[in-house]
Amino acid sequence: MALLPILRYPDPRLHTKAQPVAKVDDAIRTLIADMAETMYEAPGIGLAASQVNVHQRIVVIDVSEDKSGLLALINPEIIERSGEQVCEEGCLSVPGIYDKVSRAEKVRVRALNQQGERFEFDAEGLLAVCVQHELDHLDGKVFVEYLSALKQNRIKGKLAKKARITA
Ligand code: GNR
Ligand code: NI
């Protein structure tokens, strides 16, 4: 097991479009275990491979309170969406910044599991938000891009200042 470094916005590598996983093998399963460890340690409720500079379509999610609900999704797709909800979002790649984003209330997701088998599930509420947030990462999109240009510039300024202090 290993903790992986998380890219910080506005790192341009966060805008890379991830490629589909061609074969679910031990290297992919090891990456998923390391991503889960990194997510729990952060702590966060989701992590996309893009955030650890691996540009393959893999995400881990756990919205449970006791680490009992790990979901690993390979090549995930949203095949149905309905309704609307506004949630205060945060992101491990944009530490300390929280703002409201409007998303679908319910989604149906199709993905491969760690055995390479296709499965589908319905998500709503926070799980649906997290799925949409993570799939955006795989397409190179960070939640702050839904905010106004003014807010995005303020966030870039804040994070740059923080990076200078921590460096
Ligand atoms: O830990 C996280 N919390 C969160 C809260 C509201 C909406 C989305 C998220 S995802 C985030 C982890 C992360 O950055 N995943 O990409
Ligand atoms: Ni995120």
Side-chain angles (χ1 to χ4, degrees):
M1 298 276 273
L3 290 176
L4 307 170
I6 297 176
L7 299 179
R8 296 285 178 91
Y9 179 82
D11 192 311
R13 293 172 292 182
L14 285 169
H15 304 304
T16 311
K17 190 171 165 66
Q19 296 304 307
V21 172
K23 184 169 185 281
V24 180
D25 58 15
D26 284 344
I28 297 293
R29 285 183 281 269
T30 299
L31 172 64
I32 287 171
D34 291 344
M35 285 173 60
E37 188 186 7
T38 303
M39 170 182 75
Y40 287 127
E41 198 270 343
I45 60 170
L47 187 73
S50 317
Q51 292 176 276
V52 294
N53 201 30
V54 175
H55 302 290
Q56 299 200 62
R57 303 189 77 82
I58 302 168
V59 310
V60 293
I61 294 174
D62 191 344
V63 298
S64 75
E65 306 224 317
D66 56 357
K67 303 186 176 186
S68 64
L70 181 64
L71 267 171
L73 309 179
I74 300 164
N75 298 345
E77 294 170 76
I78 293 174
I79 55 174
E80 285 173 41
R81 55 184 85 221
S82 62
E84 195 197 322
Q85 61 177 324
V86 175
C87 176
E88 181 101 342
E89 296 196 17
C91 181
L92 296 174
S93 295
V94 198
I97 305 290
Y98 303 89
D99 213 327
K100 292 187 179 114
V101 178
S102 170
R103 307 256 190 202
E105 162 63 17
K106 294 186 180 179
V107 294
R108 184 160 183 85
V109 182
R110 175 181 293 161
L112 302 180
N113 66 17
Q114 294 191 64
Q115 274 61 55
E117 301 154 346
R118 210 169 89 167
F119 72 109
E120 291 184 11
F121 64 98
D122 291 306
E124 59 181 79
L126 182 61
L127 178 58
V129 168
C130 193
V131 165
Q132 292 171 80
H133 176 116
E134 303 314 334
L135 267 64
D136 273 353
H137 276 301
L138 299 181
D139 288 327
K141 187 159 181 163
V142 178
F143 87 96
V144 297
E145 292 173 63
Y146 290 106
L147 309 177
S148 67
L150 174 66
K151 280 189 178 179
Q152 289 182 51
N153 283 327
R154 282 189 184 145
I155 291 166
K156 282 179 191 163
K158 259 194 195 176
L159 293 179
K161 187 174 170 192
K162 207 160 89 177
R164 281 197 300 275
I165 295 166
T166 12

